[in-house]
Amino acid sequence: MNRILVVDDEPQILRALRINLRARGYDVDVAATGTAALKAAASHPPDLVVLDLGLPDVDGVDVIQGLRGWTTVPIIVLSGRAGSDDKVTALDAGADDYVTKPFGVDELLARIRAVTRRHMTGADAASPTARLGWHTVDLAAHTVTRDDGTEIKLTPTQWGVLETLLRNPGKLISQRQLLHDVWGPGYETETSYLRQYMAQLRRKLEPDPARPRHLITEPGMGYRYQP
């Protein structure tokens, strides 16, 4: 993962991130508006996007949705909006992580590394397929296909959660373990992340998301995949 697109209307943030990311070996493209970001992503597809929500032309959530129309590239939101509703809206739109301004560059770099780990696929990993409702999940190809042939798109973080559960059928996976395995060390208490992503997966994959049959919550303990 080499190319990062940074989208922010604050010149000092663009400059600081460009310098810090290039110093760590990344190729960096920058954009100050949502329109410019979408054009840049289409012209030179990035491996990861760092995106401010408060852009001067269009809202950052609209940019997320525009990107999600054709790519599952990881998106890290970088925003001064600290409210939980803003975070949920961005995650629902397809963002993979959310960093609140003001932020430390080291924290952002750690988030980038964590998202990169989740996005990379192990070539030698076991590759079973699993059934989940009306869907077939191919863990090697990272595809989810409905019985009618429709392919369901998942973000890298959604994949991380789903793959961890599906590779352990019937086993209770604790919240702490899921957070550690998917988000990385230091995220073991961020249980709101799990609730949000499990809700997203159920809406996409369960026949009745309000009464899940396969992605099961064990209150106070964790989650399990019930074949």
Side-chain angles (χ1 to χ4, degrees):
M1 182 172 292
N2 295 316
R3 182 180 295 275
I4 295 180
L5 172 61
V6 180
V7 187
D8 201 297
D9 64 338
E10 297 183 46
Q12 64 272 28
I13 289 181
L14 288 182
R15 181 175 181 275
L17 291 182
R18 181 166 48 197
I19 291 171
N20 279 278
L21 291 170
R22 284 180 175 173
R24 288 160 176 82
Y26 295 104
D27 293 328
V28 183
D29 294 326
V30 298
T33 67
T35 302
L38 292 171
K39 289 181 178 178
S43 301
H44 303 285
D47 298 305
L48 183 142
V49 177
V50 177
L51 172 69
D52 182 23
L53 293 184
L55 299 172
D57 55 345
V58 297
D59 192 81
V61 172
D62 294 326
V63 177
I64 296 171
Q65 292 171 337
L67 291 169
R68 283 291 172 253
W70 61 276
T71 181
T72 58
V73 61
I75 300 172
I76 298 178
V77 167
L78 190 63
S79 178
R81 304 176 188 175
S84 59
D85 288 345
D86 294 306
K87 294 180 181 180
V88 169
T89 299
L91 293 170
D92 267 342
D96 294 278
D97 206 344
Y98 196 108
V99 178
T100 303
K101 295 179 180 179
F103 65 96
V105 171
D106 287 342
E107 177 190 1
L108 179 61
L109 291 168
R111 301 288 186 102
I112 290 172
R113 291 192 296 270
V115 168
T116 301
R117 287 195 301 269
R118 298 198 295 269
H119 188 62
M120 299 301 289
T121 59
D124 298 325
S127 56
T129 59
R131 288 288 297 172
L132 206 161
W134 300 314
H135 306 85
T136 298
V137 183
D138 187 326
L139 293 172
H142 274 203
T143 60
V144 179
T145 308
R146 285 178 60 96
D147 289 347
D148 63 4
T150 303
E151 185 171 336
I152 307 301
K153 292 184 179 180
L154 299 182
T155 70
T157 303
Q158 290 168 352
W159 264 115
V161 175
L162 184 65
E163 183 172 2
T164 301
L165 293 172
L166 265 57
R167 289 193 185 278
N168 297 275
K171 179 181 178 181
L172 173 65
I173 307 297
S174 70
Q175 295 177 349
R176 189 177 188 86
Q177 181 182 340
L178 264 174
L179 287 163
H180 179 277
D181 290 352
V182 178
W183 277 268
Y187 291 84
E188 288 90 341
T189 61
E190 298 289 348
T191 55
S192 61
Y193 280 33
L194 276 179
R195 287 194 296 271
Q196 183 63 33
Y197 278 96
M198 289 300 295
Q200 293 173 359
L201 287 170
R202 285 167 176 156
R203 285 196 294 271
K204 290 185 175 184
L205 302 176
E206 287 278 2
D208 184 353
R211 299 177 180 82
R213 297 169 53 191
H214 303 287
L215 302 176
I216 307 300
T217 300
E218 300 290 349
M221 295 185 292
Y223 301 88
R224 76 171 79 240
Y225 161 56
Q226 185 61 48

